[in-house]
Every structure is written in structure tokens, then in C-alpha cells.
Amino acid sequence: MNKKSFFQSFTILFALLLLVSCREERAIDRILEEFHNAQSDYVMVAAHRAGHNGYVENSIPAIEHAINIGVDIIELDVKVTTDSVVILNHDRTIDRTTTGTGDPESYSWAELQKFRLKMPDGTVTDLQLATFEEALNRVKGKAMIDIDLKTSNLKPVFDVLQKTGTLNQIIFFDSDFEILKEVQAHFPTANVMPRARSFGMADTALMIFDAPVVHIDDSFYTNELTLLIKGKNARIWINALGDQDRLINAGESDQALANLLDKGANIIQTDEPEKLIPLLEARGRRK
């Protein structure tokens, strides 16, 4: 290859890499713009424990699947090992999800690497528990992450966010307002999502936090609540997990979407993102 051909090939390769990078940046920029616009008709979709249908929950393949199907937010559960490595695991123990047993926060990272992740039916895979840092590096520029804080040891979580430069993509979720206060004390601009279990609790959360989103339950999902939350320019997060996901799977998507959206909720967390996204697109709610 002569110098001219080499230079042309190099220029084309550089341009392609730049294009891919720009696309990824545009993806997160679009998502963040929507996230901070509580009045938007765009309904954001959050994949519960990542896109885990056919994949291991809270695993790197499940995260990559969620990105590939176009979710806006990936929900992940974080814990911290004895040597301060932040890992992904939902349960109090690793019994259900791995070949190991016990509390993952009682292990070092090297000890946890001996275990393998399991599918929901118990099939053992070749995968190890994922680290939060791995997850952040895969998602950076492509989607938001909702961190379900399953640990009180927050410093290692903060350290990884600073190392990866991904704070703007993160939503910190907890029902303990004191934990969220600690988050905002460390990161004043952090996106926190308080969980409310009543109208009064939602009102209190909005007085305490400058929250861009509030997690609600369907038991008090009313027009009055919608006016309260959107009046503070915050989005309304509701779960499809359980009943509404079952309706979607049963072919009763109209009823499920009515239950979820009729009073104005505009972020839906689901175990069925592959099905929910096209349903919302068909109704013009993801333009």
C-alpha cells in the first residue's frame, strides 16, 4: 500500500470512529434532554435489572441487550465487596443468582470471582458477577443508569462514578431519604429519585429534594399527584413490573398502557422492554 492509499484509509477509519462516537453522544444527549423535560409526551422506558429476557439479570450481556433494543434507562442493583469493589447483584445473598452462597458484601472481589452466574432456571453460565465500573464503561454515552442502592457503603460508588465520568447519566434511587441526602451532599447536582409511598410522602420528597423524578406506586396514582409532581418539573416513574407486564404478555396491552399512562406517568420500568418499546412507538409516545 502506497502512502496516499494508507492516508486515505486512515482518514476513512478515523471518520467512521468519529461518526460512531458522535452517534453515541447524541443518544445520551437526547435521553438527558427528555429526562429533564417533565412536560414532554415522550415516555421513557427503564429496563429492570437490565434487558434480562434470555440473559442473566444485572449482567454485561443483559446491559448490552438493553442498549441494543433502545431503552432510555437501565436499572442496576449495586453492592460493595470487603475490598471496596462495587458489584451488581439484587438479592441480599448471591444464592439465587450465582453458584455461591451468602452476602456478597462479606466477600472480597477475588473470592466472588470464583462463582458463576445462573439463569433464572438455575442453568449455570460462564459469566462472573459484573462490576459497576464495567457496566458504566459499557453504557457511557448510550443510556442512563438507575442505581438501586443496595448498600450503605456509598464512597466506593462515588469513586467509580468520578473515575468513569458518568455522573450526569446516573439516577440514584432509594426509599431512605437520608441516603439520598448523603448522595446530594457529595454530588450536589446528582439526579436523585426518592420513592414515595403516599401523596404526602411525594409532597415531602419534593420539598426536601430538587428531584427530577419521583418513584410512585399505583395505589395513590391520581391526577392530583400528577399535578403535584409535574408542577415541580419532575417526571413520574411507575412500575409495570408484575400486573401490567402480565397484561402485556397476555396481549392486553391497551389495558396495561391505560393503567400506566392515563394519569400522566412518563417513565415506565418493565421486565418486558422488548415488547413495551414498540407498543409505545405505535401510539406515538416515543417520538
Side-chain angles (χ1 to χ4, degrees):
M1 181 183 294
N2 59 40
K3 289 183 177 179
K4 182 178 179 182
S5 297
F6 176 81
F7 179 75
Q8 288 174 335
S9 299
F10 178 81
T11 302
I12 292 169
L13 178 60
F14 180 78
L16 288 172
L17 290 172
L18 184 62
L19 178 61
V20 170
S21 175
C22 288
R23 282 178 177 170
E24 289 180 355
E25 287 305 311
R26 282 200 296 270
I28 192 58
D29 288 346
R30 174 188 56 78
I31 290 168
L32 289 171
E33 183 179 0
E34 289 292 351
F35 177 69
H36 290 290
N37 180 8
Q39 311 309 320
S40 172
D41 289 332
Y42 182 92
V43 177
M44 306 185 79
V45 173
H48 184 228
R49 304 181 199 174
H52 64 264
N53 287 324
Y55 301 86
V56 180
E57 67 180 54
N58 277 306
S59 69
I60 297 301
I63 290 167
E64 291 176 338
H65 177 59
I67 293 168
N68 290 337
I69 62 175
V71 304
D72 306 284
I73 304 167
I74 299 170
E75 188 264 354
L76 299 173
D77 305 279
V78 298
K79 293 179 178 288
V80 180
T81 66
T82 56
D83 50 348
S84 298
V85 176
V86 186
I87 62 161
L88 307 183
N89 193 73
H90 174 271
D91 298 357
R92 185 182 62 81
T93 72
I94 54 173
D95 298 35
R96 177 181 65 87
T97 52
T98 79
T99 54
T101 59
D103 182 353
E105 295 203 326
S106 68
Y107 287 92
S108 70
W109 173 233
E111 290 169 334
L112 285 176
Q113 287 180 290
K114 300 173 185 176
F115 307 131
R116 293 296 177 267
L117 293 173
K118 296 189 295 189
M119 296 290 289
D121 64 1
T123 301
V124 177
T125 72
D126 292 331
L127 298 171
Q128 297 171 317
L129 284 159
T131 68
F132 188 40
E133 184 173 348
E134 287 180 274
L136 290 171
N137 285 328
R138 298 298 179 98
V139 178
K140 188 172 184 177
K142 300 172 185 175
M144 297 186 75
I145 291 181
D146 166 43
I147 308 174
D148 192 343
L149 293 166
K150 297 295 177 65
T151 183
S152 58
N153 186 7
L154 297 184
K155 185 180 184 302
V157 178
F158 297 158
D159 290 345
V160 174
L161 289 171
Q162 289 178 313
K163 179 180 179 181
T164 57
T166 51
L167 178 64
N168 68 323
Q169 295 179 224
I170 301 301
I171 303 168
F172 292 88
F173 168 67
D174 207 291
S175 56
D176 185 339
F177 288 3
E178 295 306 312
I179 292 289
L180 296 183
K181 287 178 183 178
E182 185 177 346
V183 169
Q184 285 201 324
H186 193 87
F187 292 130
T189 62
N191 301 311
V192 298
M193 177 168 65
R195 177 165 190 166
R197 300 184 186 277
S198 67
F199 181 94
M201 196 171 177
D203 192 23
T204 299
L206 289 165
M207 286 190 288
I208 295 173
F209 303 105
D210 182 19
V213 56
V214 177
H215 186 304
I216 69 163
D217 294 333
D218 57 9
S219 60
F220 63 100
Y221 180 28
T222 63
N223 290 323
E224 183 184 16
L225 180 73
T226 298
L227 289 172
L228 170 72
I229 296 175
K230 289 190 177 181
K232 296 291 187 179
N233 199 35
R235 276 187 173 261
I236 301 168
W237 176 299
I238 196 167
N239 285 341
L241 312 175
D243 290 344
Q244 309 314 321
D245 277 345
R246 280 192 286 271
L247 285 174
I248 290 170
N249 277 321
E252 299 179 42
S253 57
D254 287 343
Q255 184 59 60
L257 289 180
N259 294 341
L260 292 164
L261 299 176
D262 275 3
K263 296 179 182 67
N266 49 19
I267 301 181
I268 301 175
Q269 179 174 224
T270 178
D271 284 320
E272 304 292 344
E274 305 91 338
K275 296 177 181 177
L276 181 59
I277 287 173
L279 289 172
L280 291 167
E281 288 175 342
R283 287 160 176 77
R285 298 304 303 273
R286 287 182 62 78
K287 290 183 178 179

